[in-house]
C-alpha cells in the first residue's frame, strides 16, 4: 500500500509541475517559422518592386539617354573611376534599365567620347566639366554609382566585418537630383571590394532599379518644361 501511494503522489506532482507550463502556452518553435518569415519578406520586396514599376512614365522620357558611370572610394578619400573595371556591373544595371525601355550608353561609348578627367569630374563635384561631358555624349540624365566600404572589428570572430555600400544618384544633365538609392551588404572575409559590389548588385539590383525607375518617371521634368523654367 505504501509503495502504491508513493507512485500516486509522484504522478500527482508531475501533473502539477506540467500544469503551469501548459497554462503559459509553452511550445517549441515550428520548423517552418523561419521559412515563413523569409517568404513574407520576399513577398513584401516583390510588392515594392511591382509598385515602383507600375509608375506611369511619359513616352518622351523613355527616349532620353542615361549615362551610367561607376567609381570606387579609396581609403584616402580619392575616387577611382576607371570604367573598364566595372564591365559586369554595367551589364547587370544597364540590362535592367534597358529591359524597362530606357536608353543607356555602353562603357565603350562613354570611353570613346568622354575623357577620363571628365568622368572624374562627376565624382569631384565639378559641374562645368560634368555638364560639358553630358552634352558631348548626348546624355539627358546621368546615373552615378559610387562604391564604398567600411571595415569594423567583429566581436564574434577575429576578423573585420566589411560593409560594402553601393550608392546610386540619378541626376539631370544640369545636376538636379532626381533619385538617390543605396544598397549595402556585409561580409566577414571580404577583401575584394569590386567583387563584393558585384555580388551586392546581383542580389539587390532589381529593387534598386525599380526605385530609380519610379523616381525617374515621377521626378524627371520634361525637356520642354526644363527649358521653360530656365527662361
Amino acid at each position: 500500500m505504501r509503495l502504491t501511494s508513493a507512485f500516486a503522489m509522484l504522478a500527482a506532482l508531475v501533473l502539477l509541475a506540467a500544469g503551469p507550463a501548459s497554462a503559459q502556452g509553452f511550445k517549441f518553435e515550428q520548423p517552418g517559422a523561419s521559412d515563413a518569415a523569409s517568404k513574407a519578406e520576399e513577398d513584401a520586396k516583390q510588392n515594392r518592386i511591382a509598385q515602383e514599376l507600375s509608375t506611369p512614365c511619359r513616352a518622351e522620357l523613355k527616349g532620353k539617354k542615361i549615362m551610367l558611370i561607376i567609381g570606387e572610394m579609396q581609403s584616402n578619400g580619392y575616387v577611382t573611376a576607371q570604367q573598364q573595371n566595372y564591365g559586369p556591373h554595367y551589364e547587370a544595371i544597364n540590362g535592367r534599365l534597358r529591359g524597362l525601355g530606357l536608353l543607356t550608353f555602353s562603357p565603350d561609348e562613354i570611353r570613346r567620347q568622354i575623357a577620363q578627367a571628365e568622368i572624374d569630374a562627376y565624382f569631384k563635384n565639378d559641374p562645368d566639366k560634368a555638364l560639358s561631358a553630358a552634352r558631348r555624349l548626348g546624355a539627358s540624365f546621368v546615373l552615378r554609382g559610387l562604391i564604398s566600404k567600411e571595415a569594423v572589428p567583429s566581436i564574434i570572430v577575429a576578423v573585420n566585418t566589411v560593409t560594402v555600400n553601393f550608392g546610386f544618384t540619378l541626376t539631370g544633365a544640369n545636376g538636379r537630383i532626381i533619385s538617390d538609392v543605396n544598397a549595402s551588404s556585409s561580409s566577414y572575409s571580404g577583401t575584394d571590394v569590386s567583387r563584393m559590389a558585384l555580388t551586392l548588385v546581383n542580389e539587390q539590383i532589381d529593387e534598386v532599379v525599380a526605385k530609380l525607375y519610379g523616381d525617374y518617371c515621377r521626378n524627371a521634368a520634361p525637356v520642354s518644361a526644363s527649358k521653360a523654367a530656365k527662361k
Side-chain angles (χ1 to χ4, degrees), residues 129-206:
K129 284 186 179 180
L131 180 58
S132 174
R135 285 176 175 170
R136 188 181 315 109
L137 190 61
S140 300
F141 301 92
V142 179
L143 177 57
R144 184 184 70 176
L146 180 60
I147 303 168
S148 60
K149 71 172 182 178
E150 181 182 7
V152 179
S154 172
I155 60 174
I156 301 175
V157 292
V159 294
N160 288 340
T161 300
V162 179
T163 298
V164 170
N165 182 75
F166 209 150
F168 297 90
T169 303
L170 177 65
T171 69
N174 60 0
R176 184 178 72 88
I177 295 178
I178 296 168
S179 181
D180 198 9
V181 184
N182 284 282
S184 62
S185 180
S186 298
S187 170
Y188 285 121
S189 58
T191 55
D192 188 336
V193 176
S194 181
R195 181 180 294 275
M196 287 181 66
L198 179 58
T199 300
L200 174 60
V201 164
N202 290 331
E203 290 176 349
Q204 302 186 33
I205 196 59
D206 288 335

Side-chain angles (χ1 to χ4, degrees), residues 201-228:
V201 164
N202 290 331
E203 290 176 349
Q204 302 186 33
I205 196 59
D206 288 335
E207 188 167 10
V208 167
V209 168
K211 175 62 175 169
L212 289 169
Y213 177 83
D215 287 344
Y216 177 70
C217 295
R218 282 188 294 267
N219 303 330
V223 175
S224 57
S226 298
K227 290 182 179 178

Side-chain angles (χ1 to χ4, degrees), residues 23-103:
Q24 292 172 12
F26 173 81
K27 57 184 178 181
F28 291 105
E29 182 180 353
Q30 297 299 318
S34 59
D35 293 340
S38 296
K39 184 179 184 304
E41 183 178 346
E42 180 62 23
D43 288 345
K45 173 185 172 181
Q46 294 304 323
N47 287 336
R48 291 193 299 270
I49 291 174
Q51 184 175 1
E52 292 291 350
L53 296 183
S54 66
T55 304
C57 208
R58 293 182 296 275
E60 62 183 282
L61 287 177
K62 291 290 187 79
K64 302 303 175 184
K65 276 203 164 184
I66 301 172
M67 177 176 70
L68 169 64
I69 54 174
I70 298 174
E72 184 176 329
M73 180 77 73
Q74 305 300 306
S75 58
N76 60 1
Y78 179 77
V79 176
T80 59
Q82 304 295 326
Q83 301 308 291
Q84 64 270 22
N85 295 338
Y86 305 105
H89 306 69
Y90 267 97
E91 291 176 11
I93 299 167
N94 276 351
R96 284 165 175 80
L97 290 172
R98 289 171 180 165
L100 294 171
L102 304 182
L103 302 179

